[in-house]
Amino acid sequence: MTADQPTLRTAPFADLTPFEVYALCRLRVDVFVVEQQCPYPELDGRDPEPATLHLWFEEDGEVLATIRVLDDGETRAIGRVATAASARGRGLAARLMEEGIRLCEGRAITLGAQAHLQGWYERFGFRLSGPGYVEDGIPHVPMRREPA
């Protein structure tokens, strides 16, 4: 693949190799814990749920960007949106969001957005759905996207 065409991957946890699990977790820890200086419980028990889908872009064996889609019953939730510092500005997270929304099959989708990214999520049809809150020292806002 060329630098302009990383590979989009989608898999439930049970189909991930140990190397993929490591790479996905490492990117999330690099972005959220190290870069944003936000120690939080990365391993929250949601990744291995049978209905959770992991989406990521990979290039030369490196995970460049990732999200996960959770099954919350009547709704779906998108979270753990992370892009490697070296891959930012390529639109990878936006492409993952579009694919994640498509995979939600017409269901309402929720997410907890870092407050400074509210406008970015609004581009995908998400709207503020409640008061802001602080999670792990970072201001967040709850957002929801109704099915099309």
PDB file of all heavy atoms in Angstrom, residues 1-18:
ATOM      1  N   MET A   1       0.833  -1.188   0.000  1.00  0.00           N
ATOM      2  CA  MET A   1       0.000   0.000   0.000  1.00  0.00           C
ATOM      3  C   MET A   1       0.878   1.252   0.000  1.00  0.00           C
ATOM      4  O   MET A   1       1.923   1.272   0.631  1.00  0.00           O
ATOM      5  CB  MET A   1      -0.868   0.045   1.258  1.00  0.00           C
ATOM      6  CG  MET A   1      -2.036  -0.930   1.289  1.00  0.00           C
ATOM      7  SD  MET A   1      -3.404  -0.315   0.326  1.00  0.00           S
ATOM      8  CE  MET A   1      -3.953  -1.794  -0.432  1.00  0.00           C
ATOM      9  N   THR A   2       0.393   2.269  -0.637  1.00  0.00           N
ATOM     10  CA  THR A   2       1.116   3.534  -0.621  1.00  0.00           C
ATOM     11  C   THR A   2       0.728   4.302   0.623  1.00  0.00           C
ATOM     12  O   THR A   2      -0.234   3.967   1.303  1.00  0.00           O
ATOM     13  CB  THR A   2       0.765   4.373  -1.871  1.00  0.00           C
ATOM     14  OG1 THR A   2      -0.602   4.773  -1.770  1.00  0.00           O
ATOM     15  CG2 THR A   2       1.014   3.609  -3.138  1.00  0.00           C
ATOM     16  N   ALA A   3       1.464   5.352   0.903  1.00  0.00           N
ATOM     17  CA  ALA A   3       1.183   6.169   2.075  1.00  0.00           C
ATOM     18  C   ALA A   3      -0.213   6.774   1.998  1.00  0.00           C
ATOM     19  O   ALA A   3      -0.788   7.123   3.008  1.00  0.00           O
ATOM     20  CB  ALA A   3       2.239   7.255   2.227  1.00  0.00           C
ATOM     21  N   ASP A   4      -0.768   6.932   0.797  1.00  0.00           N
ATOM     22  CA  ASP A   4      -2.089   7.527   0.642  1.00  0.00           C
ATOM     23  C   ASP A   4      -3.212   6.505   0.780  1.00  0.00           C
ATOM     24  O   ASP A   4      -4.377   6.868   0.805  1.00  0.00           O
ATOM     25  CB  ASP A   4      -2.206   8.211  -0.725  1.00  0.00           C
ATOM     26  CG  ASP A   4      -1.264   9.391  -0.853  1.00  0.00           C
ATOM     27  OD1 ASP A   4      -0.918   9.991   0.170  1.00  0.00           O
ATOM     28  OD2 ASP A   4      -0.878   9.700  -1.987  1.00  0.00           O
ATOM     29  N   GLN A   5      -2.902   5.215   0.861  1.00  0.00           N
ATOM     30  CA  GLN A   5      -3.924   4.195   0.864  1.00  0.00           C
ATOM     31  C   GLN A   5      -3.699   3.141   1.947  1.00  0.00           C
ATOM     32  O   GLN A   5      -3.411   1.990   1.644  1.00  0.00           O
ATOM     33  CB  GLN A   5      -3.996   3.522  -0.502  1.00  0.00           C
ATOM     34  CG  GLN A   5      -4.371   4.462  -1.612  1.00  0.00           C
ATOM     35  CD  GLN A   5      -4.375   3.763  -2.962  1.00  0.00           C
ATOM     36  OE1 GLN A   5      -3.991   2.616  -3.081  1.00  0.00           O
ATOM     37  NE2 GLN A   5      -4.829   4.459  -3.975  1.00  0.00           N
ATOM     38  N   PRO A   6      -3.849   3.530   3.224  1.00  0.00           N
ATOM     39  CA  PRO A   6      -3.747   2.506   4.263  1.00  0.00           C
ATOM     40  C   PRO A   6      -4.939   1.559   4.166  1.00  0.00           C
ATOM     41  O   PRO A   6      -5.957   1.877   3.569  1.00  0.00           O
ATOM     42  CB  PRO A   6      -3.764   3.319   5.559  1.00  0.00           C
ATOM     43  CG  PRO A   6      -4.449   4.589   5.193  1.00  0.00           C
ATOM     44  CD  PRO A   6      -4.109   4.854   3.751  1.00  0.00           C
ATOM     45  N   THR A   7      -4.811   0.398   4.751  1.00  0.00           N
ATOM     46  CA  THR A   7      -5.849  -0.628   4.695  1.00  0.00           C
ATOM     47  C   THR A   7      -6.834  -0.449   5.838  1.00  0.00           C
ATOM     48  O   THR A   7      -6.433  -0.361   6.999  1.00  0.00           O
ATOM     49  CB  THR A   7      -5.204  -2.025   4.797  1.00  0.00           C
ATOM     50  OG1 THR A   7      -4.256  -2.162   3.741  1.00  0.00           O
ATOM     51  CG2 THR A   7      -6.248  -3.120   4.697  1.00  0.00           C
ATOM     52  N   LEU A   8      -8.134  -0.417   5.501  1.00  0.00           N
ATOM     53  CA  LEU A   8      -9.193  -0.367   6.512  1.00  0.00           C
ATOM     54  C   LEU A   8      -9.473  -1.780   6.978  1.00  0.00           C
ATOM     55  O   LEU A   8      -9.699  -2.683   6.166  1.00  0.00           O
ATOM     56  CB  LEU A   8     -10.472   0.251   5.937  1.00  0.00           C
ATOM     57  CG  LEU A   8     -11.708   0.201   6.845  1.00  0.00           C
ATOM     58  CD1 LEU A   8     -11.481   0.971   8.131  1.00  0.00           C
ATOM     59  CD2 LEU A   8     -12.922   0.714   6.103  1.00  0.00           C
ATOM     60  N   ARG A   9      -9.434  -2.001   8.281  1.00  0.00           N
ATOM     61  CA  ARG A   9      -9.694  -3.313   8.866  1.00  0.00           C
ATOM     62  C   ARG A   9     -10.861  -3.206   9.833  1.00  0.00           C
ATOM     63  O   ARG A   9     -11.004  -2.195  10.517  1.00  0.00           O
ATOM     64  CB  ARG A   9      -8.457  -3.815   9.620  1.00  0.00           C
ATOM     65  CG  ARG A   9      -7.153  -3.850   8.821  1.00  0.00           C
ATOM     66  CD  ARG A   9      -7.019  -5.068   7.936  1.00  0.00           C
ATOM     67  NE  ARG A   9      -7.301  -6.305   8.644  1.00  0.00           N
ATOM     68  CZ  ARG A   9      -6.438  -6.953   9.419  1.00  0.00           C
ATOM     69  NH1 ARG A   9      -5.213  -6.507   9.587  1.00  0.00           N
ATOM     70  NH2 ARG A   9      -6.795  -8.076  10.026  1.00  0.00           N
ATOM     71  N   THR A  10     -11.674  -4.244   9.915  1.00  0.00           N
ATOM     72  CA  THR A  10     -12.792  -4.327  10.851  1.00  0.00           C
ATOM     73  C   THR A  10     -12.852  -5.744  11.390  1.00  0.00           C
ATOM     74  O   THR A  10     -12.800  -6.694  10.605  1.00  0.00           O
ATOM     75  CB  THR A  10     -14.130  -4.002  10.155  1.00  0.00           C
ATOM     76  OG1 THR A  10     -14.052  -2.709   9.562  1.00  0.00           O
ATOM     77  CG2 THR A  10     -15.290  -4.029  11.141  1.00  0.00           C
ATOM     78  N   ALA A  11     -12.979  -5.886  12.715  1.00  0.00           N
ATOM     79  CA  ALA A  11     -13.039  -7.227  13.294  1.00  0.00           C
ATOM     80  C   ALA A  11     -13.598  -7.176  14.703  1.00  0.00           C
ATOM     81  O   ALA A  11     -13.340  -6.224  15.441  1.00  0.00           O
ATOM     82  CB  ALA A  11     -11.649  -7.862  13.326  1.00  0.00           C
ATOM     83  N   PRO A  12     -14.321  -8.228  15.093  1.00  0.00           N
ATOM     84  CA  PRO A  12     -14.635  -8.386  16.515  1.00  0.00           C
ATOM     85  C   PRO A  12     -13.371  -8.834  17.247  1.00  0.00           C
ATOM     86  O   PRO A  12     -12.431  -9.344  16.622  1.00  0.00           O
ATOM     87  CB  PRO A  12     -15.709  -9.482  16.528  1.00  0.00           C
ATOM     88  CG  PRO A  12     -15.468 -10.260  15.277  1.00  0.00           C
ATOM     89  CD  PRO A  12     -14.893  -9.286  14.274  1.00  0.00           C
ATOM     90  N   PHE A  13     -13.359  -8.678  18.547  1.00  0.00           N
ATOM     91  CA  PHE A  13     -12.183  -8.992  19.346  1.00  0.00           C
ATOM     92  C   PHE A  13     -11.698 -10.428  19.132  1.00  0.00           C
ATOM     93  O   PHE A  13     -10.503 -10.679  19.011  1.00  0.00           O
ATOM     94  CB  PHE A  13     -12.497  -8.753  20.830  1.00  0.00           C
ATOM     95  CG  PHE A  13     -11.307  -8.854  21.731  1.00  0.00           C
ATOM     96  CD1 PHE A  13     -10.476  -7.765  21.918  1.00  0.00           C
ATOM     97  CD2 PHE A  13     -11.024 -10.032  22.409  1.00  0.00           C
ATOM     98  CE1 PHE A  13      -9.378  -7.849  22.772  1.00  0.00           C
ATOM     99  CE2 PHE A  13      -9.924 -10.120  23.251  1.00  0.00           C
ATOM    100  CZ  PHE A  13      -9.106  -9.026  23.430  1.00  0.00           C
ATOM    101  N   ALA A  14     -12.643 -11.361  19.066  1.00  0.00           N
ATOM    102  CA  ALA A  14     -12.283 -12.782  18.934  1.00  0.00           C
ATOM    103  C   ALA A  14     -11.490 -13.079  17.664  1.00  0.00           C
ATOM    104  O   ALA A  14     -10.759 -14.068  17.610  1.00  0.00           O
ATOM    105  CB  ALA A  14     -13.534 -13.654  18.981  1.00  0.00           C
ATOM    106  N   ASP A  15     -11.610 -12.212  16.650  1.00  0.00           N
ATOM    107  CA  ASP A  15     -10.895 -12.418  15.393  1.00  0.00           C
ATOM    108  C   ASP A  15      -9.563 -11.677  15.326  1.00  0.00           C
ATOM    109  O   ASP A  15      -8.835 -11.797  14.341  1.00  0.00           O
ATOM    110  CB  ASP A  15     -11.767 -11.996  14.205  1.00  0.00           C
ATOM    111  CG  ASP A  15     -12.971 -12.905  14.007  1.00  0.00           C
ATOM    112  OD1 ASP A  15     -13.023 -13.988  14.635  1.00  0.00           O
ATOM    113  OD2 ASP A  15     -13.857 -12.519  13.228  1.00  0.00           O
ATOM    114  N   LEU A  16      -9.250 -10.884  16.341  1.00  0.00           N
ATOM    115  CA  LEU A  16      -7.994 -10.142  16.348  1.00  0.00           C
ATOM    116  C   LEU A  16      -6.838 -11.061  16.735  1.00  0.00           C
ATOM    117  O   LEU A  16      -6.980 -11.915  17.601  1.00  0.00           O
ATOM    118  CB  LEU A  16      -8.052  -8.988  17.358  1.00  0.00           C
ATOM    119  CG  LEU A  16      -9.085  -7.891  17.103  1.00  0.00           C
ATOM    120  CD1 LEU A  16      -9.107  -6.921  18.283  1.00  0.00           C
ATOM    121  CD2 LEU A  16      -8.798  -7.156  15.811  1.00  0.00           C
ATOM    122  N   THR A  17      -5.704 -10.858  16.087  1.00  0.00           N
ATOM    123  CA  THR A  17      -4.501 -11.578  16.501  1.00  0.00           C
ATOM    124  C   THR A  17      -3.952 -10.903  17.763  1.00  0.00           C
ATOM    125  O   THR A  17      -4.273  -9.735  18.038  1.00  0.00           O
ATOM    126  CB  THR A  17      -3.420 -11.532  15.413  1.00  0.00           C
ATOM    127  OG1 THR A  17      -2.923 -10.188  15.309  1.00  0.00           O
ATOM    128  CG2 THR A  17      -3.944 -12.015  14.057  1.00  0.00           C
ATOM    129  N   PRO A  18      -3.101 -11.582  18.504  1.00  0.00           N
ATOM    130  CA  PRO A  18      -2.478 -10.923  19.664  1.00  0.00           C
ATOM    131  C   PRO A  18      -1.717  -9.658  19.254  1.00  0.00           C
ATOM    132  O   PRO A  18      -1.712  -8.671  19.994  1.00  0.00           O
ATOM    133  CB  PRO A  18      -1.526 -11.984  20.215  1.00  0.00           C
ATOM    134  CG  PRO A  18      -2.076 -13.277  19.734  1.00  0.00           C
ATOM    135  CD  PRO A  18      -2.723 -12.982  18.401  1.00  0.00           C
TER     136      PRO A  18
END
